[in-house]
């Protein structure tokens, strides 16, 4: 009779639970029983593990074998337990000293030939192991860089089970043939499942080769984009086709500050669970950009799917940009599902397999045409849509959703003179990014010691009591509340935007001009203030 145990990690969303993998050998008819609430892919590990052990040169024990995954009440899914199961079995068979295995966390899938394949969620799994007090982990060799992002953890990357046996048994480590550098590594192929990866939700790295100066005209929209980036405010761009709405949204990530270390780990953990980490780049340090197609379902936007829920677009855009082009064409139920993560900064998905929580602090950019033909305007009568069609089209965006959007800007049609370059060229991405970074630093210094990092996160009550505007600066905004132009939430958001405008302009606190610009960006009604940040007094 033999017994051995080691550890692995069960992921529930981006949070992990350390699982103890126990193997028990008893005399009797040779059999392999796996218990502990495994799913189908985990139940199949019995065949993978047996073949991998035999093909690695070790002897499979011909006894009654029981492998238990504890705690048994936690659902366990995926193939990442293979390495821990094989090690526990070899420990029970005394091929490996069981005492060596007890304090090691092992994560990885086994091929039938004994190769160790990567799995999704290496980073959050290692983070969970570190939080539980473990300081040694074994992962696939190609995922060692991702696992090494967690401080204070010793990472061993192995290419085959044969190598792991040699290391744990203190034997000469065999040399394994590495993958050819100019050919794709087949062991990483399973991380990207067709229909559940990059293109399914529109997640893509932003194109930093394009400059903000490429956007012709659109002073109001450019100012709104700068304010959105500086304070993390949601933005709604409405205008005719070809006016530059998509161009502005695509350039927003480049003017956002680089992610700090904690934010980078949060974003990387989500993308690791989704299997979207860029090849050769284990740490994401730039703001992500996600632009799902308007046919995306509610599950694609907020997360879900069969079995254990997967992160949706709102989580893949965490600490970055979520761009919804042609917003009225999205399902109304899908758009209204965004209201909760917009307020809470996370999304909670309840399924029969369990409750999953994903982070979802993102900057939302909505873009829409003013009517079905796209030519409706208050300045001319080019639109041929009947008034009822215009009202129905604009009513596709619910009032409660738009009330959570801080900045609403009408993007005008580009003129011939602007297109010919006869006017002044707009500021470059580098210039605006420098100003945004300085504004974020001012806000960060003011909010130091609080749980908030940007103006858009500060509750209205805290703003009114701890960081009020200058005396009399909010009078016009409060009159708009009395007239019904603003809701109570809208008034708080005007004050948030006013603080961001003040940070961009270098003011110690919002004055009447800052509030007027914030009110203009909120309501679209001109207030007689310059739209350019640099022109503010």
């Amino acid at each position: 009779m033999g017994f051995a145990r080691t550890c692995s990690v069960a992921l529930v969303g981006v949070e992990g639970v350390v699982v103890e993998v126990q193997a028990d050998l008893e005399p009797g008819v040779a059999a392999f029983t796996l218990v502990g609430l495994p799913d189908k892919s985990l139940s199949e590990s019995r065949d993978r593990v047996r073949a991998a052990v035999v093909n690695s040169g070790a002897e499979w024990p011909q006894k009654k074998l029981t492998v238990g995954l504890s705690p048994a009440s936690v659902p366990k899914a995926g193939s990442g337990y293979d390495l821990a199961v094989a090690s526990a079995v070899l420990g029970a068979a005394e091929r490996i000293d069981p005492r060596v295995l007890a304090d090691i966390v092992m994560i990885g899938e086994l091929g039938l030939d004994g190769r160790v394949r990567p799995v999704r969620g290496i980073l959050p799994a290692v983070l969970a192991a570190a939080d539980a007090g473990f300081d040694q982990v074994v992962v696939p060799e190609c995922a060692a860089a991702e696992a090494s992002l967690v401080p204070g953890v010793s990472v061993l990357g192995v290419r085959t089970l044969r190598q792991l046996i040699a290391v744990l048994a203190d034997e000469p480590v065999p040399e394994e043939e590495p993958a050819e550098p100019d050919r794709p590594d087949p062991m990483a192929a399973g991380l990207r499942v067709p229909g559940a990866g990059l293109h399914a939700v529109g997640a893509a790295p932003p194109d930093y080769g394009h400059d903000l100066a490429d956007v012709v005209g659109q002073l109001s929209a450019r100012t709104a984009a700068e304010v959105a980036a500086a304070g993390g405010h949601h933005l709604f761009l409405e205008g005719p086709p070809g006016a530059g709405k998509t161009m502005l949204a695509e350039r927003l990530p480049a003017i956002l500050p680089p992610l700090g270390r904690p934010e980078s780990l949060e974003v990387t953990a989500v993308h690791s669970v989704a299997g979207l980490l860029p090849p050769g780049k284990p740490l994401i340090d730039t703001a992500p950009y996600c632009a799902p197609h308007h046919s995306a379902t509610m599950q694609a936007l907020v997360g879900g799917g069969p079995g254990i829920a997967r992160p949706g677009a709102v989580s893949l855009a965490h600490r970055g940009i979520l761009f919804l082009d042609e917003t009225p064409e999205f399902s109304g139920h899908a758009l209204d599902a965004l209201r909760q993560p917009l307020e809470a900064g996370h999304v909670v998905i309840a399924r029969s397999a369990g409750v999953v929580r994903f982070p979802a602090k993102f900057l939302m950019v909505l873009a829409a045409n003013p009517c079905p033909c796209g030519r409706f305007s208050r300045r001319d009568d080019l639109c041929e849509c009947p008034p009822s069609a215009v009202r129905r089209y604009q009513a596709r965006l619910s009032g409660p959703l738009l009330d959570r959007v801080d900045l609403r800007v009408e993007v005008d049609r580009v003129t011939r003179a602007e297109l010919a370059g006869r006017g002044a060229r707009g500021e470059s991405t580098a210039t605006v990014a420098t100003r945004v970074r300085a504004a974020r630093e001012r806000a960060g210094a003011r909010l130091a010691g609080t749980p908030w990092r940007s103006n858009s996160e500060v509750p209205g009550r805290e703003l009114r009591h701890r960081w009020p505007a200058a005396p009399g600066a909010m009078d016009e905004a409060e009159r708009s509340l009395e007239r019904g132009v603003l809701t109570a939430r809208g008034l708080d958001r005007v004050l948030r935007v006013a603080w961001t405008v003040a940070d961009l302009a270098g003011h110690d606190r919002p004055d009447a001009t800052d509030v007027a610009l914030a009110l203009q960006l909120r309501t679209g009604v001109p207030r007689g203030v310059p739209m350019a940040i640099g022109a503010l007094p």
Side-chain angles (χ1 to χ4, degrees):
M1 183 176 69
F3 176 84
R5 63 183 178 88
T6 187
C7 294
S8 190
V9 177
L11 284 179
V12 183
V14 293
E15 300 174 353
V17 178
V18 174
V19 172
E20 189 175 69
V21 181
Q22 303 171 341
D24 178 69
L25 281 175
E26 295 182 359
V29 179
F32 187 172
T33 304
L34 181 64
V35 297
L37 210 58
D39 73 341
K40 179 64 175 177
S41 61
L42 181 52
S43 297
E44 293 174 348
S45 69
R46 293 175 295 185
D47 300 317
R48 290 194 301 268
V49 169
R50 181 186 292 109
V53 169
V54 173
N55 291 326
S56 298
E59 182 180 353
W60 184 260
Q62 298 300 316
K63 296 181 180 180
K64 181 182 178 181
L65 171 62
T66 303
V67 174
L69 309 176
S70 179
S73 59
V74 176
K76 303 166 189 70
S79 56
Y81 303 88
D82 289 1
L83 200 59
V85 171
S87 300
V89 170
L90 292 173
E94 298 184 352
R95 176 63 178 86
I96 302 173
D97 187 350
R99 294 172 296 180
V100 177
L101 300 173
D103 297 325
I104 301 178
V105 173
M106 300 188 181
I107 307 162
E109 176 187 333
L110 285 175
L112 300 184
D113 57 355
R115 289 184 299 172
V116 183
R117 304 172 64 96
V119 293
R120 299 182 182 188
I122 290 290
L123 177 60
V126 177
L127 284 170
D131 290 341
F134 290 87
D135 56 7
Q136 288 185 309
V137 297
V138 178
V139 298
E141 185 181 59
C142 56
E146 180 183 347
S148 299
L149 296 173
V150 181
V153 176
S154 175
V155 177
L156 172 62
V158 294
R159 189 167 186 83
T160 64
L161 179 59
R162 186 183 295 108
Q163 283 184 335
L164 178 60
I165 294 173
V167 171
L168 297 179
D170 198 17
E171 299 172 354
V173 179
E175 292 290 337
E176 302 290 348
E177 183 179 354
E180 298 181 20
D182 56 344
R183 297 186 61 184
D185 189 352
M187 291 197 297
L191 293 181
R192 295 183 182 272
V193 179
L198 186 66
H199 302 289
V201 291
D207 185 357
Y208 290 99
H210 294 164
D211 198 279
L212 194 60
D214 298 334
V215 181
V216 177
Q218 311 301 357
L219 178 60
S220 298
R222 289 171 59 95
T223 300
E226 180 178 345
V227 172
H233 305 286
H234 306 305
L235 172 63
F236 177 39
L237 301 172
E238 185 181 40
K245 303 186 295 294
T246 303
M247 291 180 67
L248 275 170
E250 291 176 341
R251 284 152 178 77
L252 255 178
I255 65 176
L256 289 174
L259 299 177
R261 182 72 177 189
E263 292 85 1
S264 294
L265 290 177
E266 291 176 7
V267 173
T268 304
V270 174
H271 285 244
S272 177
V273 169
L276 296 178
L277 284 183
K281 187 178 181 181
L283 182 67
I284 299 177
D285 55 4
T286 55
Y289 176 82
C290 191
H293 190 260
H294 61 257
S295 62
T297 63
M298 184 188 303
Q299 288 75 21
L301 284 181
V302 301
I308 299 297
R310 296 289 181 184
V314 297
S315 298
L316 296 176
H318 181 58
R319 302 294 182 186
I321 306 295
L322 175 65
F323 177 47
L324 303 183
D325 200 4
E326 304 294 345
T327 309
E329 303 299 335
F330 280 80
S331 161
H333 293 295
L335 290 177
D336 286 338
L338 299 177
R339 286 151 56 178
Q340 185 266 340
L342 284 175
E343 290 290 332
H346 63 267
V347 58
V348 178
I349 305 170
R351 295 289 186 270
S352 59
V355 178
V356 177
R357 182 182 184 274
F358 291 113
K361 289 184 178 180
F362 55 89
L363 194 164
M364 182 177 68
V365 180
L366 308 178
N369 297 326
C371 67
C373 76
R375 294 183 293 178
F376 176 79
S377 174
R378 299 183 181 91
R379 297 176 177 84
D380 49 50
D381 55 356
L382 298 176
C383 176
E384 299 176 355
C385 302
S388 59
V390 175
R391 287 195 299 270
R392 282 196 303 270
Y393 188 80
Q394 295 180 349
R396 293 181 182 179
L397 301 182
S398 68
L401 176 64
L402 289 180
D403 197 38
R404 290 166 167 82
V405 179
D406 300 347
L407 311 172
R408 308 173 192 175
V409 179
E410 185 174 345
V411 182
D412 296 329
R413 195 175 287 106
V414 179
T415 65
R416 179 180 179 181
E418 291 172 333
L419 201 58
R422 297 173 187 169
R425 191 168 184 261
E427 293 178 310
S428 67
T429 294
T431 301
V432 177
T434 300
R435 204 157 51 227
V436 167
R437 190 176 297 110
R440 289 253 181 171
E441 290 173 354
R442 292 190 187 98
R446 181 174 62 253
L447 300 175
T450 71
W452 312 296
R453 302 175 184 176
S454 62
N455 293 324
S456 63
E457 299 176 5
V458 184
R461 181 180 182 279
E462 296 292 335
L463 278 178
R464 293 191 299 271
H465 290 81
R466 297 178 61 179
W467 299 289
M474 292 292 292
D475 290 349
E476 183 62 28
E478 291 169 355
R479 284 193 289 269
S480 297
L481 174 66
E482 293 174 353
R483 295 195 299 266
V485 177
L486 292 177
T487 63
R489 179 191 288 119
L491 182 66
D492 287 342
R493 291 178 180 270
V494 167
L495 182 54
R496 292 178 182 176
V497 175
W499 265 110
T500 300
V501 174
D503 289 334
L504 285 167
H507 299 162
D508 293 334
R509 60 193 302 191
D511 56 21
T513 304
D514 299 327
V515 175
L517 179 55
L519 197 57
Q520 180 171 329
L521 291 173
R522 172 78 183 186
T523 63
V525 178
R527 304 285 172 175
V529 294
M531 287 302 299
I533 296 295
L536 292 177

